[in-house]
Amino acid sequence: MAYTEEELKKELETQEYAYGFVTNIEADTFPKGLNENIVRAISKRKEEPNWMTEWRLSAYRAWEKMEEPNWANVKYAKPDFQKISYYSAPKSKDKYESLDEVDPELLKTFDKLGISIDEQKKLAGVAVDIVVDSVSVATTFKKTLSEKGIIFCSISEAIREYPELVRKYIGTVIPPKDNFYSALNSAVFSDGSFCYIPKGVKCPMELSTYFRINQAGTGQFERTLVIADSDSYVSYLEGCTAPSRDENQLHAAVVELIALDDAEIKYSTVQNWFPGNKNGKGGVYNFVTKRGICHKNSKISWTQVETGSAVTWKYPSCILKGDNSIGEFYSIAVTNNYQQADTGTKMIHIGKNTKSTIISKGISAGKSQNSYRGLVQVNAKAENARNFSQCDSLLMGNKCGAHTFPYIEAKNNSAMVEHEASTSKIGEDQIFYCNQRGIDTEKAIALIVNGFSKEVLNKLPMEFAVEAQKLLEISLEGSVG
Amino acid sequence: MQLSEKLISSFLAFELDTDINSTIHGIRTSAIKKFEELGFPTRKLENWKYTSLNRVIKEDYTVFSKKKNVLDFKNVKDYFIDNIESYKIVIVDGFFDPFLSQTSHDGLDICIMSAALNKPKYSKIIKKYFNKTANSEDSLTSLNTAFSKEGAYIHVPKNTVLEKPVEIIHFATGNEAALMLQPRNLIVVEESSEVEIIESHQSLTDNPVFTNSVTEIFSEKNSKIDYYKIQDDVVTSSLIDNTYISQKRDSDVKVHTFSFGGKLIRNNLNFFQNDKSINSTMKGVTIIDYDQFVDHHTLVHHANPNCESHQDYKGIYSGKSTGVFNGKIIVDKIAQKTNAFQQNNNILLDDKSTINSKPQLEIFADDVKCSHGCTIGQLDQDALFYLRARGIPKKEAKALLTYAFANNVLESVNIPELKYKVKKIIAKKLGVSLGFDL
């Protein structure tokens, strides 16, 4: 065999974070600290209407009274909210008419990220909105989309151009006072993506947003709002990276999905924020609130591949309000070195004949801790609600941990709820079987992990599935212990 | 006055009444301090998220029953298990009843806690075991520790296999308008010994009774314990049952909990595996109705390699009843080759009934097999139709299916007379006169 286990372990530990570069773009950054003036200043910089400024301020006042929650199964040094800069924008002109005007440095960044805002994407058929340090810098394919009546732009643009749509829906799924980080986000969010699919329209291409934290000492607070009007369909992708830095960076996003009658939203995330180095120094704190509401006969499907971040804390949820609505959650969470993840979902069954599926795969290696935390709630009026949950954990080495905290609450006698969970390791016999057939240990593990995660990987759109598979391999090469 | 204040102020009177020089005086004093600090648990605590004690502690309970009551055997005969030879420890309103009991000191000790706490010949064992596995950070356990005075004391020496089971029955006669009881049991089973224990709590009237019980069980090397809890009390009584089990190498402890009655039942069942190759089993059947409430909290701490644990809890909920299941499995880093299995199946029969289930795994070792499964559903309509098509009335058909659903748990009951009694209770609970001996 080419590798011994020790060598593999070493290689894994020294595995560099491939996206850890910093781009030298001049940035327009606010002074550190948070107070009402900063909130006002952000709102002013964004040229927002009055109601938005007030909305932010009320969220800020609520946030001031809140305490940072600590029930999650993660340990970290609490961020000092006065040491973060709440606004950082790549310094450039306000808007780009075409790609030629974009700072070439920025374009290089996209190249390194593997996002080409050009022909390639046309072939792939993906429209991309890119958010660097909380500000949306480029949106592609606007024209093709607008022909169909689809609105896909940055949220600050949406606030200016489509205030009635934003005002009607923002904060309806995740009220600003919902939790500590959603309140913070509501007060200081600087940008994000907005997407509206009109009635009866099937979005012809995948919509995609790339997030990147570039500037040091900044927090990224983006806000995404996706509205699928009656009988429409959209598939939305989200990817994240950040440079390697010694200090911890904060990312506190809010994502709201609204699926009106008969609509379907598919939301996929590949999260690859900087996870910290092998000694657990640095990395991004990823505290995200994601929630969708399903009206009659609609469907929301969350798919996530979580490989990055020092601390991940997120629960993409579905409120199944309408009758016959469907919620799905597919997740792969990989933790290595000192990473910690506490992730899962909430499925709230309110309407009749609602269905939900939860498939969660946790893979822990190194000294990491990986938790699944989920809630399946069947309310008294949710006749014939159906849920199936499965969470499997794979452990590599005896220094990591895998935890499950499922909450199941049923108040209706016609509910059918199933939950199963298992924890295991990669079998020595499985590896031996592969070795015997000339597959080295490293490849064998990749093979087995792929098989383990296949159910979830299958749910990703093609372009993402390939990337996700690669990420899994990078994160876990040879970490059998 | 609130119950917690009443308890704290009664502690002084209680101390005067008992021997202040007793070895456990210090333990009692620090326990009451702990309770004073924590108070009764509220729903703000994660472990009590679904369970509110408010409707139990609002009653004005008498903390000590004033007088000893004597019961006539023929009036309470039904509460014992029929046709079986057994040792008996009977406690009436918190006092030992020597007439109904059948204790033994013949090469082993099956007697009462008050004797064990006060007689010098037991002091070595009390020192070694008393309050050693109970969680002194838990408020209700501390409350019990502070007032620990009476209960069952069982000590089985090396290489002794008990030829008949031990029945522990706590009666409340209803002489007080509302009574709080705090029995404290200590069970020590030495190397290679075996014992079977059946425990129950019974109110004889509808006067409210609140029992806060703590049982400590020590299972030494290669010992075997079968513990059965029958919880079929009247609907005005509430029970908090805290059981702590500490196991040594190659020991095998099984706990069966049958919860059919009572207003509120909370079972805190804790297993600590303190050596290798240990087997722990906990099984339960819950069948409740009206606005009854049953909460099973189990904890298995796998702290050593090559151990196993099996959990199987079945619940059937009708009316406005509520069930809670919280099963926690912790596997430490060194506990490799652990095999932990947990299952919780529930049937909701009415649209007002509720079940909250939280199977929880915390795993730090990699070479383990851990799984849990949880389901909530209904009786199979096809199976019901099948039975009815063959002339079995609806009620009986439902009862048969319910019984079949619970049968997995009943199968592992090793005392036939007890199995018969439980079957009879289940039939009564389901309103049918079937014997289920098909």
Side-chain angles (χ1 to χ4, degrees):
Chain A
M1 250 193 297
Y3 279 99
T4 65
E5 278 187 13
E6 283 310 305
E7 280 168 347
L8 281 171
K9 254 187 182 164
K10 211 176 244 171
E11 193 194 291
L12 173 75
E13 277 173 7
T14 49
Q15 184 79 49
E16 291 255 342
Y17 179 66
Y19 304 92
F21 53 87
V22 185
T23 316
N24 287 320
I25 316 172
E26 253 191 286
D28 173 14
T29 307
F30 270 26
K32 286 176 183 177
L34 181 57
N35 52 45
E36 285 202 14
N37 288 336
I38 293 277
V39 177
R40 274 180 217 278
I42 294 171
S43 189
K44 197 174 168 199
R45 180 66 58 96
K46 300 257 120 198
E47 296 163 38
E48 284 175 357
N50 235 342
W51 62 267
M52 199 64 223
T53 318
E54 283 310 311
W55 193 80
R56 281 174 184 274
L57 284 171
S58 83
Y60 172 73
R61 284 170 201 141
W63 175 78
E64 269 189 314
K65 293 193 192 94
M66 287 182 179
E67 265 177 46
E68 202 176 345
N70 52 13
W71 44 262
N73 191 26
V74 291
K75 288 190 191 81
Y76 61 95
K78 297 242 158 101
D80 182 344
F81 295 98
Q82 298 305 335
K83 283 206 175 134
I84 296 171
S85 171
Y86 288 84
Y87 186 81
S88 170
K91 211 174 213 168
S92 235
K93 272 185 266 170
D94 289 352
K95 273 193 182 174
Y96 304 99
E97 287 301 319
S98 77
L99 288 174
D100 305 336
E101 290 180 35
V102 177
D103 192 334
E105 279 285 315
L106 204 57
L107 283 180
K108 266 188 217 156
T109 309
F110 297 144
D111 258 359
K112 281 191 206 165
L113 287 172
I115 316 160
S116 44
I117 325 166
D118 51 43
E119 289 300 310
Q120 284 176 29
K121 281 293 164 184
K122 205 169 212 168
L123 292 173
V126 181
V128 192
D129 181 24
I130 296 151
V131 180
V132 171
D133 283 348
S134 354
V135 169
S136 177
V137 290
T139 308
T140 57
F141 284 100
K142 220 168 193 175
K143 211 175 151 201
T144 334
L145 293 172
S146 63
E147 273 165 18
K148 290 239 173 200
I150 296 168
I151 304 168
F152 180 48
C153 60
S154 71
I155 194 132
S156 40
E157 194 182 331
I159 291 170
R160 284 195 302 272
E161 311 276 328
Y162 316 97
E164 56 307 315
L165 265 180
V166 177
R167 201 171 178 177
K168 187 172 169 194
Y169 290 109
I170 197 167
T172 53
V173 189
I174 304 170
K177 288 160 198 164
D178 186 78
N179 66 59
F180 185 83
Y181 284 103
S182 74
L184 178 65
N185 175 289
S186 303
V188 303
F189 76 88
S190 31
D191 219 327
S193 303
F194 174 84
C195 169
Y196 173 81
I197 316 291
K199 270 182 200 155
V201 171
K202 299 243 169 307
C203 186
M205 56 182 75
E206 312 273 349
L207 300 183
S208 160
T209 304
Y210 261 86
F211 297 110
R212 178 170 174 84
I213 303 176
N214 195 31
Q215 196 70 13
T218 56
Q220 175 139 330
F221 305 93
E222 83 270 352
R223 184 141 195 139
T224 305
L225 180 60
V226 178
I227 304 155
D229 212 328
S230 309
D231 203 21
S232 63
Y233 168 85
V234 62
S235 168
Y236 195 97
L237 320 174
E238 178 193 85
C240 328
T241 56
S244 318
R245 288 192 197 284
D246 273 355
E247 78 224 65
N248 293 106
Q249 284 166 300
L250 178 64
H251 172 249
V254 169
V255 177
E256 290 178 288
L257 307 187
I258 294 144
L260 297 175
D261 296 358
D262 305 298
E264 183 178 344
I265 302 176
K266 202 171 144 88
Y267 197 102
S268 318
T269 308
V270 172
Q271 186 262 102
N272 187 29
W273 296 114
F274 177 51
N277 66 13
K278 64 175 177 160
N279 299 318
K281 203 160 193 277
V284 174
Y285 290 157
N286 190 30
F287 302 148
V288 180
T289 314
K290 290 184 170 180
R291 200 175 299 155
I293 189 159
C294 290
H295 292 268
K296 260 185 211 159
N297 307 325
S298 64
K299 178 176 171 183
I300 289 181
S301 172
W302 296 99
T303 307
Q304 59 173 23
V305 177
E306 301 277 324
T307 59
S309 295
V311 182
T312 303
W313 189 356
K314 79 175 209 191
Y315 314 95
S317 311
C318 294
I319 301 170
L320 304 170
K321 188 181 161 209
D323 295 350
N324 312 317
S325 56
I326 300 171
E328 287 175 352
F329 175 77
Y330 301 97
S331 163
I332 306 172
V334 184
T335 53
N336 201 350
N337 296 327
Y338 283 87
Q339 277 177 277
Q340 303 174 67
D342 192 313
T343 179
T345 184
K346 286 184 194 174
M347 293 290 172
I348 318 280
H349 293 258
I350 300 170
K352 294 188 179 72
N353 304 319
T354 46
K355 284 190 205 129
S356 62
T357 307
I358 300 171
I359 309 279
S360 166
K361 307 275 180 185
I363 301 162
S364 8
K367 289 175 182 149
S368 66
Q369 300 295 331
N370 200 334
S371 308
Y372 167 82
R373 188 187 300 275
L375 168 73
V376 176
Q377 191 181 62
V378 180
N379 287 8
K381 292 202 176 126
E383 299 280 329
N384 299 320
R386 185 81 178 83
N387 163 267
F388 174 77
S389 314
Q390 186 184 343
C391 36
D392 298 324
S393 307
L394 199 62
L395 288 156
M396 299 187 182
N398 59 355
K399 290 188 182 105
C400 53
H403 316 275
T404 33
F405 304 89
Y407 292 75
I408 300 151
E409 303 175 10
K411 288 198 169 62
N412 189 296
N413 66 335
S414 59
M416 292 275 276
V417 181
E418 287 168 69
H419 173 96
E420 43 182 27
S422 72
T423 303
S424 54
K425 71 165 194 168
I426 294 182
E428 276 153 32
D429 47 344
Q430 289 170 323
I431 300 218
F432 179 72
Y433 181 93
C434 292
N435 286 163
Q436 226 184 3
R437 277 148 188 82
I439 302 167
D440 65 37
T441 307
E442 186 188 5
K443 287 229 176 72
I445 290 164
L447 199 69
I448 293 161
V449 168
N450 248 318
F452 177 76
S453 350
K454 205 174 172 191
E455 276 170 279
V456 178
L457 287 175
N458 278 347
K459 297 287 165 187
L460 284 170
M462 251 290 276
E463 305 81 21
F464 255 32
V466 177
E467 191 180 335
Q469 212 157 331
K470 241 166 56 193
L471 268 176
L472 281 183
E473 270 169 44
I474 290 171
S475 309
L476 286 167
E477 267 170 349
S479 51
V480 75
Chain B
M1 190 160 47
Q2 286 211 322
L3 184 61
S4 54
E5 291 167 26
K6 190 171 179 175
L7 283 162
I8 292 160
S9 55
S10 332
F11 182 69
L12 285 175
F14 173 81
E15 277 278 77
L16 287 177
D17 208 31
T18 52
D19 185 7
I20 213 149
N21 297 319
S22 134
T23 41
I24 66 157
H25 170 67
I27 297 176
R28 278 188 187 133
T29 322
S30 55
I32 195 76
K33 273 191 194 133
K34 195 81 211 169
F35 177 73
E36 209 172 338
E37 180 195 320
L38 300 170
F40 281 109
T42 63
R43 292 187 58 174
K44 282 193 182 138
L45 299 171
E46 180 66 21
N47 271 337
W48 292 83
K49 188 176 152 79
Y50 296 115
T51 311
S52 167
L53 283 180
N54 287 342
R55 64 177 186 154
V56 175
I57 57 176
K58 67 167 198 254
E59 304 277 352
D60 185 25
Y61 294 106
T62 305
V63 181
F64 316 109
S65 180
K66 282 169 206 81
K67 57 170 188 180
K68 284 191 183 186
N69 291 297
V70 181
L71 289 176
D72 199 346
F73 179 69
K74 66 173 193 286
N75 294 334
V76 293
K77 190 173 161 280
D78 282 356
Y79 301 117
F80 292 91
I81 293 167
D82 290 337
N83 307 320
I84 191 170
E85 280 283 298
S86 68
Y87 296 105
K88 293 181 180 71
I89 299 172
V90 180
I91 293 172
V92 179
D93 291 344
F95 295 100
F96 174 58
D97 188 324
F99 304 110
L100 292 177
S101 299
Q102 203 177 327
T103 57
S104 171
H105 293 287
D106 184 19
L108 63 140
D109 291 303
I110 295 174
C111 62
I112 48 172
M113 201 67 187
S114 56
L117 288 175
N118 295 322
K119 289 187 182 163
K121 70 167 173 172
Y122 298 114
S123 67
K124 215 172 133 190
I125 288 172
I126 291 295
K127 216 171 203 170
K128 188 171 171 193
Y129 294 109
F130 183 81
N131 209 36
K132 286 294 181 290
T133 180
N135 180 5
S136 50
E137 293 301 312
D138 179 71
S139 73
L140 289 162
T141 304
S142 298
L143 180 66
N144 178 291
T145 307
F147 289 95
S148 51
K149 188 180 167 190
E150 196 56 286
Y153 170 76
I154 298 170
H155 179 243
V156 187
K158 260 188 189 177
N159 304 321
T160 313
V161 177
L162 261 67
E163 76 285 7
K164 52 185 182 180
V166 184
E167 271 188 87
I168 306 171
I169 304 189
H170 297 268
F171 285 110
T173 59
N175 270 13
E176 308 285 346
L179 180 66
M180 181 167 179
L181 292 171
Q182 304 214 54
R184 176 76 173 216
N185 308 315
L186 176 63
I187 292 146
V188 181
V189 181
E190 302 277 8
E191 208 176 314
S192 305
S193 294
E194 288 180 25
V195 64
E196 290 172 329
I197 299 165
I198 304 156
E199 185 200 292
S200 60
H201 299 263
Q202 191 63 51
S203 284
L204 301 176
T205 64
D206 282 345
N207 287 352
V209 175
F210 175 28
T211 308
N212 175 32
S213 160
V214 171
T215 306
E216 287 186 279
I217 299 172
F218 295 87
S219 177
E220 296 293 337
K221 258 189 208 167
N222 197 31
S223 63
K224 209 171 153 225
I225 302 175
D226 265 342
Y227 205 107
Y228 302 95
K229 292 168 188 281
I230 316 289
Q231 302 171 339
D232 186 29
D233 211 345
V234 297
V235 290
T236 48
S237 65
S238 302
L239 170 68
I240 293 170
D241 186 319
N242 305 288
T243 305
Y244 298 91
I245 299 161
S246 164
Q247 287 185 260
K248 288 283 167 65
R249 195 175 176 140
D250 300 319
S251 63
D252 182 2
V253 177
K254 291 193 182 83
V255 177
H256 287 74
T257 312
F258 298 101
S259 311
F260 304 128
K263 176 158 125 188
L264 181 145
I265 297 175
R266 160 81 174 216
N267 286 298
N268 292 320
L269 183 55
N270 306 284
F271 277 84
F272 303 101
Q273 299 189 327
N274 293 323
D275 211 333
K276 289 173 196 161
S277 311
I278 290 166
N279 215 327
S280 310
T281 306
M282 55 226 85
K283 294 189 174 193
V285 177
T286 307
I287 304 177
I288 52 170
D289 202 344
Y290 315 112
D291 62 344
Q292 290 181 300
F293 189 104
V294 170
D295 179 352
H296 290 287
H297 261 67
T298 65
L299 165 72
V300 185
H301 194 147
H302 289 276
N304 284 286
N306 299 312
C307 293
E308 287 192 22
S309 72
H310 300 269
Q311 299 187 45
D312 193 350
Y313 279 85
K314 312 277 186 199
I316 295 139
Y317 305 91
S318 331
K320 283 189 209 159
S321 62
T322 305
V324 179
F325 175 78
N326 187 331
K328 191 170 178 178
I329 296 172
I330 302 174
V331 180
D332 281 357
K333 225 174 256 182
I334 61 157
Q336 298 291 4
K337 309 268 178 209
T338 291
N339 197 344
F341 173 78
Q342 184 186 67
Q343 193 167 336
N344 172 231
N345 305 107
N346 302 288
I347 290 183
L348 294 180
L349 290 178
D350 285 299
D351 54 5
K352 291 275 179 341
S353 38
T354 302
I355 171 76
N356 297 311
S357 180
K358 188 183 162 202
Q360 194 179 333
L361 301 174
E362 291 194 39
I363 295 159
F364 296 91
D366 64 335
D367 192 6
V368 298
K369 263 193 246 165
C370 295
S371 64
H372 67 204
C374 168
T375 61
I376 300 169
Q378 295 76 42
L379 292 176
D380 184 350
Q381 291 303 321
D382 291 344
L384 207 58
F385 178 75
Y386 179 91
L387 290 173
R388 292 186 68 192
R390 274 145 192 84
I392 298 170
K394 192 173 180 185
K395 203 174 184 186
E396 274 72 15
K398 271 187 167 175
L400 272 176
L401 290 177
T402 313
Y403 175 75
F405 172 75
N407 194 39
N408 252 359
V409 174
L410 282 164
E411 260 178 356
S412 54
V413 173
N414 283 330
I415 308 170
E417 294 84 357
L418 176 68
K419 203 189 267 184
Y420 178 73
K421 190 183 164 89
V422 173
K423 279 184 190 175
K424 244 173 50 186
I425 300 174
I426 292 180
K428 206 177 102 195
K429 250 338 244 193
L430 300 171
V432 294
S433 53
L434 293 172
F436 296 124
D437 291 311
L438 301 167

